[in-house]
Amino acid sequence: MARLVALFVALYSYFPSGPASADEASNVLVGSWKLTSWTIQIVGGDATEPFGPNPKGRAAFTPDGYVAFIIVGANRKPATNDDESAALLKSLLVYTGKFTIEGDKFTTKVDMSGNELLTGLDQVRFFKLEGDRLSLRTAEQVSSVGIYHGKKVVGALTWEREH
């Protein structure tokens, strides 16, 4: 019995407890995630859903540390003219890049984007992983796009792992 207790103590001491390391968190994120919600909170104002109440989206995390985010508005229809084509671009958000994790900070170094303002920049998010649910949020920031231009906002996205 004493040997068994000693073995458990040795194993407990050898395997660290507590939060996952950045590498462990990166490995846990690998796979495909489906967007379930996206809101933007205007600081001191209302929360809005930039692509409506049922946006579609996918995040794909690769084992070699890359991520691709694709988000589109709900109920998009094929364009029949140039104006409709331009409108479709306003309901599309896409970027890719190498990602790193430090604590709860998730940073994507954007290498390609549907919005060239993002290409080459770091997109910093804070994340919480609970089972098959991934929550991402931005820090408070001044928006440079769309109806939010010049306003302080915080974005929040919720994803579910696809099996």
Side-chain angles (χ1 to χ4, degrees):
M1 180 67 165
R3 285 186 197 173
L4 186 58
V5 170
L7 176 63
F8 283 124
V9 170
L11 288 173
Y12 180 79
S13 300
Y14 179 76
F15 293 107
S17 60
S21 71
D23 286 340
E24 290 168 344
S26 295
N27 290 335
V28 171
L29 293 175
V30 168
S32 179
W33 298 78
K34 180 182 176 184
L35 182 67
T36 59
S37 71
W38 179 23
T39 60
I40 293 182
Q41 174 71 49
I42 298 170
V43 176
D46 294 329
T48 63
E49 295 173 312
F51 285 180
N54 299 302
K56 298 178 211 171
R58 179 161 294 117
F61 293 83
T62 66
D64 58 348
Y66 283 87
V67 64
F69 290 102
I70 301 167
I71 302 173
V72 297
N75 304 317
R76 290 168 36 113
K77 296 187 178 20
T80 59
N81 58 49
D82 289 344
D83 289 341
E84 291 177 0
S85 292
L88 282 174
L89 291 175
K90 292 180 180 180
S91 64
L92 168 69
L93 174 74
V94 58
Y95 66 87
T96 71
K98 190 89 169 161
F99 73 91
T100 57
I101 294 177
E102 296 176 37
D104 69 342
K105 186 168 92 170
F106 175 91
T107 304
T108 305
K109 179 70 169 178
V110 178
D111 60 5
M112 289 183 272
S113 176
N115 178 350
E116 285 303 318
L117 292 174
L118 300 178
T119 302
L121 298 180
D122 288 349
Q123 290 296 301
V124 177
R125 305 290 183 258
F126 299 91
F127 79 99
K128 181 193 267 187
L129 183 59
E130 297 173 307
D132 285 341
R133 182 177 171 183
L134 173 64
S135 300
L136 297 176
R137 70 171 172 77
T138 68
E140 184 177 301
Q141 58 191 0
V142 176
S143 179
S144 61
V145 295
I147 64 171
Y148 308 104
H149 185 79
K151 298 178 182 175
K152 287 186 178 182
V153 297
V154 175
L157 299 102
T158 304
W159 305 83
E160 288 181 2
R161 183 180 299 280
E162 294 183 303
H163 294 279

